[in-house]
Amino acid sequence: MDSSLKAWELENAVKLVDTQRDALYGYDEAEQKAISNEKPWRKDPHHFKNVRISAVALLKMVMHARSGGSIEVMGLMQGKILGDTFVVTDAFRLPVEGTETRVNASESANEYIVQYLQSCRDNGRAENAVGWYHSHPGYGCWLSGIDVETQFTQQTYSDPFLAVVIDPDRTISAGKVEIGAFRTFPKDHQPTASGSGDGYQTIPLSKVEDFGAHASRYYSLEISHFKSSLDTHLLELLWNKYWVSTLSQSPLFTNREYSSKQMLDLSEKLRKAEKSVQASSRGGRSGGRDTVLDKVIRDSNKITGEEVTGLLASEVKARLFNGVGAVVDHGHLTSKA
């Protein structure tokens, strides 16, 4: 179990920081109030550039996202502001009802937030709510039109505030947490480029229109993860539950619906790419690589890599555990009573 936890930390670049003083967990209420009063993000829409998420908060969010299956889930993050960086120290679930395409907080959820944060303060934890997270099961980390409006409202009335998206299906398939962090632009802001175009990602055809329609209204932040001596024990306790769940499941079976949707989506993209190539040929255009076909190739390579990873994981588990409880007796394989 220790080795699997270390492998997870390496895969997600979780770094041990400030082992002596645990400074990232220190909270200076006067300092945070001064930052809130100064509001440097009002002068620069790109003021916030980084997010540092504790390993405990990351694991709690991933476990919550995975528990929702194909239904979107939602929660809040606690932490503080450090220069141009959001520091997320903890996260908690919200009692909300989601669907496969959206999740919204009700009045009861808002009351729960107030009560939870007050309970934290009563117990000596003064960290503010610095953002919200929700899941996108199987369709990547970006903000939909509803997400953009939700985040814009939060930034209007509760800034500084951050939006984090986790894809539990791709996390299971890739073995690494699929996560994104975002901030919206003011309505009068004109970005020089698409805000979410910092890196390529696979978007299902059914979501492409929604993705493209709002991509210029927000930008992504660089994410890094940390742990400290304060949360090592808590991380181990959480990992025990996460590790057993991960070990008992196969990505090929757990994600079979997601994999099937990926293949269907890829076939549709192939048809569109074929039409694009044919149209280019009829139009006499040549000499350049077709961007649609290029994206299809990248998508297919990604799907292939995830399936191979799942097959390898299943084979390793089979070799490790299928013979457990068996003994060799007179040249025959028998099981223990």
Side-chain angles (χ1 to χ4, degrees), residues 179-332:
I179 186 172
F182 309 98
R183 291 264 301 170
T184 55
F185 293 119
K187 286 200 171 179
D188 58 349
H189 180 72
Q190 295 295 327
T192 54
S194 178
S196 61
D198 306 299
Y200 172 79
Q201 62 172 312
T202 303
I203 306 296
L205 276 176
S206 60
K207 302 288 184 180
V208 165
E209 186 176 349
D210 194 20
F211 171 77
H214 308 282
S216 63
R217 292 189 58 190
Y218 62 92
Y219 71 99
S220 60
L221 288 75
E222 191 72 27
I223 300 176
S224 60
H225 309 296
F226 72 92
K227 72 171 186 176
S228 74
S229 59
L230 285 177
D231 59 13
T232 300
H233 180 59
L234 183 57
L235 183 60
E236 288 174 355
L237 293 175
L238 281 171
W239 182 256
N240 290 342
K241 183 177 179 180
Y242 181 80
W243 181 78
V244 170
S245 173
T246 302
L247 193 63
S248 62
Q249 297 174 342
S250 166
L252 297 178
F253 291 103
T254 305
N255 265 18
R256 57 182 178 271
E257 185 180 350
Y258 163 69
S259 299
S260 298
K261 288 180 179 178
Q262 288 275 86
M263 295 303 295
L264 284 171
D265 187 67
L266 184 62
S267 66
E268 289 297 320
K269 288 178 177 177
L270 278 169
R271 291 192 190 97
K272 291 191 72 172
E274 184 180 9
K275 290 179 181 178
S276 176
V277 171
Q278 290 173 352
S280 297
S281 299
R282 287 195 296 268
R285 289 174 290 173
S286 61
R289 188 167 182 173
D290 190 273
T291 55
V292 176
L293 185 59
D294 184 52
K295 288 181 179 179
V296 170
I297 292 171
R298 294 172 75 174
D299 284 355
S300 62
N301 287 339
K302 182 177 181 295
I303 294 171
T304 302
E306 290 175 353
E307 292 299 306
V308 169
T309 300
L311 284 169
L312 288 173
S314 297
E315 182 65 18
V316 169
K317 290 175 185 177
R319 289 178 179 270
L320 282 174
F321 301 110
N322 281 1
V324 173
V327 295
V328 177
D329 184 21
H330 302 296
H332 298 285

